[in-house]
């Protein structure tokens, strides 16, 4: 029966039962899905930047930096308020995903603000795509954290 149960769980995806993989017991799957979606967004933005469809203005970089700072402040306040009272183990993993996105966004937006790249520069497109990927990862990892806190597996 163990083999049949494992086979049934692994074939939930084939039956269209996608959300069974994104619950609090499978906390890494939510972050994995977030990372894959963020990488796809980053590749699309990098491609659009290298082809000249979009441009990156300093205002956009300042807004990305500001969003990251706000999420960092919210993370610091939340960790100070909750401290050891977090009862869900998935909160630690998903919260580290939010911090990864915040730190990547802060670093890349600061680099892009300090160094100006040509509009068709490959390095500028890669950095812009990475910035978009980290910014998207902030929002998707935050969604994983919120999903964990609202008892998604019950």
């Amino acid at each position: 029966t163990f083999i049949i149960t494992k086979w049934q769980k692994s074939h939930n995806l084939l039956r269209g039962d996608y959300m069974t993989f994104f619950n609090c017991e499978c906390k890494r799957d939510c972050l994995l899905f977030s990372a894959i979606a963020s990488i796809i967004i980053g590749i699309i933005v990098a491609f659009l930047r290298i082809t000249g469809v979009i441009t990156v203005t300093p205002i956009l970089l300042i807004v990305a930096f500001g969003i990251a700072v706000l999420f960092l402040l919210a993370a610091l306040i939340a960790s100070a308020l909750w401290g050891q009272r977090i009862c869900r183990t998935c909160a630690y993993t998903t919260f580290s995903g939010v911090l990864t996105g915040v730190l990547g966004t802060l670093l890349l937006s600061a680099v892009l603000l300090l160094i100006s790249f040509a509009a068709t520069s490959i390095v500028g497109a890669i950095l812009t795509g990475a910035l978009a990927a980290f910014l998207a990862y902030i929002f998707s990892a935050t969604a994983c954290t919120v999903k964990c806190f609202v008892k998604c597996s019950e």
Side-chain angles (χ1 to χ4, degrees), residues 15-143:
R15 288 186 283 136
D17 193 10
Y18 303 109
M19 291 313 291
T20 59
F21 290 105
F22 303 115
N23 57 20
C24 288
E25 284 81 22
C26 301
K27 57 191 169 286
R28 298 214 185 266
D29 290 337
C30 184
L31 284 179
L32 177 66
F33 178 73
S34 299
I36 291 171
S38 300
I39 289 170
I40 291 170
I41 289 171
I43 290 171
I44 291 170
V45 168
F47 177 75
L48 292 175
R49 169 85 195 278
I50 197 69
T51 57
V53 175
I54 60 172
T55 59
V56 177
T57 61
I59 289 294
L60 177 72
L61 297 173
I62 291 170
V63 167
F65 191 83
I67 289 172
V69 166
L70 288 176
F71 269 88
L72 184 61
L73 288 175
L76 288 174
I77 291 170
S79 65
L81 291 177
W82 290 325
Q84 297 294 326
R85 291 181 288 169
I86 296 178
C87 59
R88 295 190 155 302
T89 58
C90 65
Y92 296 113
T93 305
T94 57
F95 204 62
S96 67
V98 173
L99 290 178
T100 301
V102 165
L103 294 177
T105 301
L106 285 174
L107 176 72
L108 286 172
S109 61
V111 166
L112 285 170
L113 275 171
L114 294 175
I115 303 170
S116 62
F117 292 99
T120 58
S121 169
I122 294 175
V123 174
I126 291 171
L127 289 176
T128 304
L131 174 66
F134 277 118
L135 196 58
Y137 192 62
I138 288 175
F139 296 124
S140 57
T142 302

